[in-house]
Amino acid sequence: GKVTYREFVEQLYKMKTQDTHTTAVLIKGCLNDMRFKLMEHLRIMREEVRTDVKELLRDMNAILCGNPEGREWHVSIEGAQGLGGAADWNPGMETYCVCEVAGNESSKWQTHAIGGCSDPVWGLEQPLGASFGAGDSLVFTVRGRQAGGGSGG
């Protein structure tokens, strides 16, 4: 059971006339109880330190990657202007924008196509996810295709 310090001292005082073996057993029991409590406190502290270290590493990684809040990166493609001046543009074209992480073909995604407009507005936002890391560049390409799906320049 649990014994407070005061109870421990009172029991020692009462037992001063009893044999030393009983006193040694009492002291050993109290020491084992303190050892158990200390081990439990150390285990809890170790878990807290591990959690703190994991959080620090996550925060350091976010800072090193240029994202101090640790949020997911998103890219927004709002639109394009002045496409009517391009040599290969014609009013029958559908225009769209392709975005990708440079050198990572699997990261490629595109907006919907808008037909007959030299100033398309897509207003599309997309999360970059794990394909985007520190030092990566994004490549945006505005493309056109003939209405009905044929590809153009």
Side-chain angles (χ1 to χ4, degrees):
K2 295 182 179 182
V3 177
T4 66
Y5 178 76
R6 184 180 177 110
E7 290 171 338
F8 175 72
V9 172
E10 287 174 1
Q11 286 183 21
L12 278 178
Y13 182 76
K14 289 177 185 176
M15 294 171 47
K16 73 177 183 178
T17 56
Q18 296 178 2
D19 69 28
T20 44
H21 176 72
T22 305
T23 304
V25 169
L26 175 66
I27 292 171
K28 183 179 177 184
C30 289
L31 289 175
N32 281 337
D33 188 46
M34 287 189 292
R35 183 177 151 259
F36 175 77
K37 288 177 183 177
L38 180 62
M39 295 300 289
E40 180 64 16
H41 284 289
L42 287 173
R43 183 189 65 77
I44 291 169
M45 288 174 62
R46 249 192 327 263
E47 289 175 10
E48 289 174 355
V49 167
R50 282 186 188 133
T51 300
D52 290 346
V53 167
K54 285 179 186 176
E55 289 174 2
L56 282 172
L57 289 173
R58 185 195 71 229
D59 292 347
M60 285 175 55
N61 186 45
I63 290 168
L64 291 173
C65 291
N67 189 0
E69 286 84 32
R71 290 178 286 178
E72 182 179 43
W73 289 99
H74 286 76
V75 64
S76 179
I77 299 177
E78 295 302 320
Q81 294 179 341
L83 299 179
D88 59 349
W89 186 84
N90 70 57
M93 291 187 95
E94 294 179 332
T95 54
Y96 59 99
C97 184
V98 177
C99 176
E100 65 183 303
V101 176
N104 183 347
E105 185 72 22
S106 67
S107 69
K108 189 182 286 190
W109 60 279
Q110 70 184 44
T111 66
H112 56 281
I114 297 178
C117 181
S118 64
D119 299 317
V121 176
W122 295 291
L124 184 64
E125 182 178 303
Q126 180 87 6
L128 291 173
S131 63
F132 186 73
D136 285 345
S137 298
L138 294 176
V139 177
F140 297 90
T141 309
V142 176
R143 295 196 174 144
R145 64 179 177 220
Q146 292 302 319
S151 62

